[in-house]
Amino acid sequence: MPVLEADGISVRFGGVQAVRDVSVHVGEWEVVGIIGPNGAGKTTLFNVLTGFQRPNTGRVRFEGDDITGEPVHRRAALGMGRTFQNVGLVKAATVLDNLLTAQHMAVGYGAVAGIVGSSLAFERERAVRDEAARLLELLGLLPVADLVAGRLPYGLRKQVELATVLATHPKVLLLDEPTSGMGPEEAEAFGERLLALRRELGLSVLMIEHHVPLVAAVCDYVYCMNFGELLVEGKPDDVRSHPEVVRAYLGDEAA
Amino acid sequence: MTPRVAPLLALAAVVLVLPRLVFDSADFALLSLAVVYAIVGLSLNVLIGYAGTISLGHQAFVGIGAFTSAYVVTELRQPFIVGVLAAAALGGAQAMILGGLALRVTGLYFALVTLSYGVFAQDTLFGIKAITGGGAGRAAPTPTGDGNFVPYYYICLAFLGLVLWLDWRMMRSKTGRALTALRQDPRVAASLGIPVKAYLLLGFAVSGVFAGIAGALFAHGNGFVVSNDFSLQLGILFVLMTVVGGLRSRTGIVVSAALTAVVPLIIREIPGLESALARPERTVPVVVLVAGLVAVGVGVLRGGRAAQVVGVAMVALSAAVLSPLHVPGVEPQLEQLPALDPSMLRLIVLPALVVMTLRTAPGGLGQQLRPVVRWVCGGRFSLDAGPGDLREVVDARA
Amino acid sequence: MTAQALVIGIITGAAYGLVALGLVLVYKSSGVLNFAQGEFGTVAVYALWLGTTHGIPYVLAVLIALGVAAVFGFVTERVVVRPLADAPRVTVLVATAGVALLAVGLELWIGQAQIRPIAPALRRQDRLRILNVYISDQRLLIILTVVVVALVLRWVFTRTFLGLAVLAASEEPTGTRLMGVRVERLSSAVWVLAALLGGVAGVLTGPLSGFGPGFLTSSALVAGFTAAVIGGFTSLPGAFLGGVVVGVIQSLATSASWLADVPGPQTAALFVLLVVILLARPQGILGRAS
């Protein structure tokens, strides 16, 4: 059974058809890539999957349940974790506070209990802090724990963002251009870490990615979008050499 | 960090003991009002500082608390504490209704809604005769006895302590983190599993509860509530004192709000100030002279020609009036100027401070006090203490 | 009955339109909600009052009053608005609210907490009578002024270099600056113009039922904002029409028998109107969706 599945998604903004009849699915343990030129509708599709955008037609299913009408935070609770193209962090808070924020769902006491300062809240806060420290250590981010997230260099911010998403205990990770701004070696290292995370945490991954060598190295399956439509899908090597894909990326002359 | 005990004891002495030594028992009415203003400031801070939205109608929040408690105590014959609890509950409920609007209408438009709400509350809600007594108002007896404000001051302090505790716990728990996240980026907050709309409503509710408590304390400190107590002017004053105190700074807001309330006492205690205010024909030229010198200084430093010209004109004018040569025609006019009332002074000084705060020190009083607060809490004394988010003043989602 | 309410509504609505025009002018050019707009007018009435009580001829006193308003607007822009150009718009709103409070404080000091009468520019009360409603000459003057001002401003914004430069500067400040337009001067000009409009509103409406500290803010600021919202906040004729709509609805609310038991029916109508419009059509009735 696929973990995440989108069926016949279409999105229209005024007169612009941003996504037209796109279906994707992510199986358990799979790493799936979405490639395509800028403006192909990849991020819009992501927004539909995570609930920021209602599709005009089509259904989204998570572990078999229809979640098309569910709000964003409910999907996060189900186990969908998402990163953003321009780094989704609480910029004015410290790295540690970001990780505490990310454990909102796991914290285990009610909002009112926190406000009146019940003993349960104190106890759970300690546990949440320990968990944050454990995650930061795992990702080698402990040295920056007390720094303000928005002031970190770009690469570090992306790592912190990944840590916050992992802190929500996702079953499927949706990564929007995780290696943008990285050099080839960094991207390669990122790919290895992603595979290691999948192994350790049993994650499925759907990622928008431009870095073709990375896609070829880590993805089990690839979708290529252009002008809001699905162009080609299949194994990375097949998609990479497909004449339609080459044309979409390089223009008509190259094909 | 373990707090330093000695400065905390000193603070307790200043708040608890010093007023008994310095002020008459009659002054405790105003001191109680200072505590009420502090609670109002903390209430506004929850909305503007934490949740990142705005309220220009907070006088309505406070007023609803005031009339609720007055009604519960005088009409339903319940004890004072029941009145305060009812005020807190109704304050929270009405704030949540307004919050429901904030989910649909955001930014500047929501600011307009709160503005209109405040005026609507004063004219219509507080005009409902059966509950508020109409324009005639409603009695709200002081629980410690008529005119006996000394114990009432300590009751108010206890409520301030409660509000401070709740605020502190909120910001140290998941609610505070959720509010911070949704203020800075609602999309990120939602994708981390935070139900953004619910927490925005919770923010409104907390703010309303604080304002309701403040309103009840205000009513019973006054002995009487009328709808005219809750004008648009008061709402703006509340916002200004909170911004001057420094959003997200409990210490700054409490100090700034309390000072705003006790301006008349401050004026009385500074020797010579009261008589100076009573003779504006002497004080106004001096103020103009000083302001002119400042304008010239700023103009020279920043190279602004207009500021220099205006400054020189102000200096020349005031010097002419102050000089023993007597300019005919001007002085009799100045002598007709009425004396400056302390409450008017509040309306003049606070806006000036707000403009200064917004232009040069967005962290407000709280940022200036932060090194001291850090030190008292057990940290190192460092002049540049303070987290990074102090620079955003009002970042409501406009 | 209803027709009468309509006439009264149009008359009072014209004054709201005048305030709304100043609000829209500032919003159009700088995206700021100017809470001091009402006080630009109140300060002008106080100047007019001081002038006439000191024996200055009425026309001259009016000109001086408008000059005072203009200076107030200029100083507000230089000292408060311009330094906050890069700040969030709600910050600027708080700052202008501060300016309004400052003005109220000064008015309280100069004129004490009293409602004062002041002579109107035109005194005749009974020249025109429509549906049993007498319309004073001063009221006619207000209606005429708001129509003329709305049309002139519209012409300025669509036909003249100044107006187009102001619009360009609000959309693309850097680009406009690169084209050789001095954006700062435009901002000054807009605020002086808005303050003059506020001054005109104050000088014309102050005599209608007397004035006190903050009178134009309490009598017309909320109504003016509502009128501007109805007009979509960028349309100048829309601001005038919005003012009339607000005036008519308030006048209907006051005369409606089923609202007789509601205290402050005018304010209640205003609040309900604003909320309904913002929920149903956030871009305003006449505004276009952005």
Side-chain angles (χ1 to χ4, degrees):
Chain A
M1 184 179 65
V3 178
L4 181 62
E5 189 181 10
D7 201 10
I9 301 293
S10 293
V11 178
R12 175 179 275 285
F13 298 120
V16 183
Q17 186 83 44
V19 174
R20 189 198 301 273
D21 194 27
V22 171
S23 302
V24 295
H25 71 260
V26 184
E28 215 163 332
W29 262 67
E30 256 186 341
V31 176
V32 177
I34 302 178
I35 61 171
N38 287 327
K42 304 184 298 288
T43 297
T44 307
L45 178 66
F46 247 48
N47 285 343
V48 169
L49 291 172
T50 47
F52 286 110
Q53 175 71 47
R54 277 290 160 83
N56 295 83
T57 62
R59 318 298 311 170
V60 181
R61 272 183 285 275
F62 185 80
E63 294 185 325
D65 299 324
D66 192 323
I67 56 165
T68 316
E70 294 285 305
V72 179
H73 64 91
R74 200 79 56 74
R75 298 184 199 213
L78 288 173
M80 293 173 66
R82 169 195 183 154
T83 67
F84 290 83
Q85 216 168 333
N86 51 358
V87 191
L89 285 174
V90 184
K91 293 192 177 64
T94 63
V95 171
L96 178 66
D97 278 337
N98 267 285
L99 270 120
L100 298 178
T101 309
Q103 293 180 74
H104 184 85
M105 298 176 292
V107 86
Y109 59 84
V112 175
I115 295 173
V116 299
S118 79
S119 58
L120 172 73
F122 279 97
E123 200 182 300
R124 290 296 308 156
E125 277 295 295
R126 204 161 294 156
V128 164
R129 271 166 200 277
D130 290 345
E131 171 68 8
R134 194 187 66 78
L135 265 169
L136 287 174
E137 179 142 40
L138 184 77
L139 294 163
L141 292 168
L142 216 42
V144 297
D146 291 324
L147 299 183
V148 174
R151 294 196 189 143
L152 296 175
Y154 185 75
L156 260 179
R157 260 186 286 162
K158 293 216 109 175
Q159 291 184 39
V160 174
E161 186 193 26
L162 188 61
T164 60
V165 175
L166 290 177
T168 64
H169 301 296
K171 293 174 185 157
V172 55
L173 272 184
L174 292 100
L175 309 175
D176 196 346
E177 300 196 19
T179 68
S180 71
M182 288 187 192
E185 292 97 48
E186 285 174 290
E188 199 180 317
F190 172 81
E192 280 164 23
R193 171 176 290 166
L194 192 65
L195 291 178
L197 282 174
R198 163 170 76 162
R199 213 167 35 241
E200 285 159 26
L201 303 172
L203 294 169
S204 314
V205 178
L206 179 65
M207 59 195 246
I208 296 175
E209 186 52 63
H210 281 307
H211 207 82
V212 177
L214 176 69
V215 172
V218 304
C219 289
D220 304 308
Y221 201 79
V222 176
Y223 294 91
C224 178
M225 286 179 74
N226 197 19
F227 297 117
E229 295 184 8
L230 218 49
L231 210 55
V232 186
E233 59 181 283
K235 298 273 176 221
D237 289 333
D238 302 340
V239 171
R240 187 152 60 149
S241 53
H242 198 283
E244 289 279 351
V245 176
V246 175
R247 185 174 0 204
Y249 268 91
L250 300 175
D252 280 330
E253 295 83 3
Chain B
M1 290 197 293
T2 42
R4 288 170 212 271
V5 178
L8 280 179
L9 283 178
L11 180 69
V14 166
V15 175
L16 298 173
V17 184
L18 191 69
R20 294 300 302 272
L21 304 176
V22 177
F23 298 115
D24 302 334
S25 52
D27 295 336
F28 274 72
L30 210 51
L31 291 178
S32 311
L33 187 70
V35 182
V36 171
Y37 272 33
I39 299 177
V40 174
L42 290 169
S43 161
L44 258 176
N45 178 48
V46 174
L47 275 191
I48 310 180
Y50 299 154
T53 172
I54 183 116
S55 170
L56 295 157
H58 229 63
Q59 77 276 20
F61 287 37
V62 176
I64 283 173
F67 280 113
T68 304
S69 186
Y71 181 79
V72 166
V73 170
T74 56
E75 285 291 305
L76 306 180
R77 314 225 158 268
Q78 297 297 314
F80 165 72
I81 186 70
V82 177
V84 179
L85 287 176
L90 205 64
Q94 59 90 28
M96 275 179 88
I97 295 172
L98 199 64
L101 275 176
L103 298 177
R104 301 283 306 277
V105 181
T106 53
L108 292 176
Y109 282 132
F110 185 67
L112 290 186
V113 170
T114 62
L115 169 80
S116 189
Y117 177 66
V119 180
F120 159 73
Q122 188 192 356
D123 278 6
T124 304
L125 294 183
F126 301 160
I128 300 172
K129 211 166 178 147
I131 296 168
T132 65
R138 180 166 285 286
T142 311
T144 51
D146 223 12
N148 189 8
F149 294 118
V150 178
Y152 191 68
Y153 167 70
Y154 292 101
I155 291 178
C156 292
L157 271 183
F159 277 106
L160 175 61
L162 174 71
V163 166
L164 280 170
W165 161 267
L166 294 175
D167 189 280
W168 177 60
R169 280 327 305 166
M170 178 170 80
M171 292 320 283
R172 285 301 209 84
S173 71
K174 72 173 196 176
T175 307
R177 294 190 294 261
L179 287 177
T180 307
L182 80 86
R183 177 181 87 242
Q184 295 217 329
D185 195 335
R187 290 165 60 91
V188 171
S191 70
L192 293 177
I194 296 165
V196 170
K197 291 180 175 180
Y199 272 89
L200 192 61
L201 285 182
L202 183 66
F204 268 90
V206 171
S207 176
V209 167
F210 289 178
I213 294 174
L217 295 175
F218 171 83
H220 296 284
N222 235 10
F224 205 79
V225 228
V226 260
S227 64
N228 280 347
D229 288 340
F230 308 103
S231 64
L232 171 60
Q233 259 179 40
L234 188 68
I236 297 178
L237 191 80
F238 286 157
V239 174
L240 298 192
M241 77 188 185
T242 309
V243 170
V244 168
L247 296 175
R248 294 179 285 284
S249 164
R250 279 180 289 267
T251 322
I253 288 167
V254 169
V255 172
S256 153
L259 287 180
T260 304
V262 298
V263 162
L265 282 189
I266 299 173
I267 289 172
R268 204 188 62 200
E269 295 299 319
I270 296 175
L273 191 56
E274 214 166 2
S275 57
L277 290 176
R279 297 186 60 209
E281 72 274 13
R282 287 280 122 197
T283 30
V284 169
V286 173
V287 171
V288 173
L289 180 69
V290 173
L293 288 173
V294 170
V296 171
V298 171
V300 169
L301 282 178
R302 299 219 183 137
R305 212 176 329 138
Q308 286 181 42
V309 172
V310 173
V312 168
M314 284 162 78
V315 170
L317 195 70
S318 51
V321 174
L322 288 170
S323 71
L325 295 170
H326 295 289
V327 185
V330 177
E331 243 155 294
Q333 300 297 335
L334 277 173
E335 265 161 37
Q336 286 175 13
L337 277 178
L340 255 164
D341 194 68
S343 62
M344 297 169 197
L345 201 66
R346 179 154 57 198
L347 298 188
I348 294 168
V349 172
L350 203 58
L353 285 177
V354 158
V355 171
M356 261 175 61
T357 303
L358 293 176
R359 281 186 57 169
T360 60
L365 203 55
Q367 195 168 30
Q368 316 302 319
L369 292 172
R370 189 165 292 270
V372 180
V373 174
R374 274 283 160 89
W375 176 75
V376 171
C377 289
R380 228 161 25 83
F381 188 85
S382 150
L383 273 180
D384 46 32
D389 70 332
L390 281 175
R391 285 207 59 86
E392 22 150 16
V393 179
V394 181
D395 51 0
R397 288 153 296 135
Chain C
M1 187 63 195
T2 311
Q4 213 170 7
L6 208 67
V7 175
I8 297 174
I10 291 169
I11 301 171
T12 46
Y16 298 154
L18 211 46
V19 174
L21 279 177
L23 294 169
V24 169
L25 180 66
V26 165
Y27 185 79
K28 223 170 143 76
S29 62
S30 58
V32 172
L33 289 192
N34 177 22
F35 269 61
Q37 184 65 26
E39 285 321 284
F40 287 162
T42 316
V43 164
V45 195
Y46 272 84
L48 179 65
W49 169 65
L50 281 178
T52 48
T53 48
H54 283 83
I56 298 174
Y58 199 86
V59 175
L60 189 58
V62 166
L63 290 179
I64 293 173
L66 293 182
V68 168
V71 169
F72 188 28
F74 178 78
V75 172
T76 301
E77 197 273 337
R78 285 302 287 268
V79 178
V80 179
V81 179
R82 194 183 294 182
L84 295 175
D86 298 326
R89 292 187 298 172
V90 180
T91 302
V92 189
L93 185 154
V94 169
T96 60
V99 171
L101 204 63
L102 174 75
V104 173
L106 290 174
E107 290 150 17
L108 257 174
W109 174 40
I110 304 285
Q112 304 296 294
Q114 277 180 35
I115 305 292
R116 294 173 187 279
I118 188 167
L122 306 172
R123 280 157 204 252
R124 198 156 153 199
Q125 298 283 340
D126 54 356
R127 195 192 307 274
L128 190 66
R129 191 177 143 185
I130 301 172
L131 296 167
N132 269 333
V133 180
Y134 283 106
I135 303 173
S136 65
D137 285 8
Q138 183 84 359
R139 292 281 193 189
L140 281 177
L141 184 62
I142 291 174
I143 296 173
L144 194 69
T145 310
V146 66
V147 171
V148 169
V149 167
L151 291 178
V152 167
L153 279 180
R154 190 161 98 134
W155 174 76
V156 166
F157 273 110
T158 49
R159 293 278 186 275
T160 67
F161 175 76
L162 174 76
L164 293 174
V166 166
L167 285 185
S170 71
E171 301 273 321
E172 271 296 336
T174 317
T176 312
R177 198 171 278 129
L178 286 174
M179 290 176 70
V181 176
R182 297 178 71 166
V183 174
E184 286 78 14
R185 288 212 175 163
L186 288 181
S187 178
S188 282
V190 164
W191 278 80
V192 167
L193 199 56
L196 276 174
L197 273 177
V200 169
V203 166
L204 287 179
T205 60
L208 293 177
S209 51
F211 66 94
F215 100 93
L216 201 58
T217 299
S218 51
S219 71
L221 188 70
V222 177
F225 271 127
T226 311
V229 167
I230 292 174
F233 241 114
T234 46
S235 157
L236 291 157
F240 162 63
L241 287 177
V244 170
V245 170
V246 169
V248 168
I249 288 182
Q250 282 199 336
S251 143
L252 287 175
T254 317
S255 61
S257 53
W258 56 278
L259 285 175
D261 293 332
V262 176
Q266 291 179 317
T267 332
L270 211 53
F271 178 62
V272 173
L273 183 65
L274 181 68
V275 169
V276 167
I277 287 171
L278 287 179
L279 287 181
R281 247 184 98 83
Q283 69 272 32
I285 301 297
L286 297 168
R288 269 159 295 172
S290 55

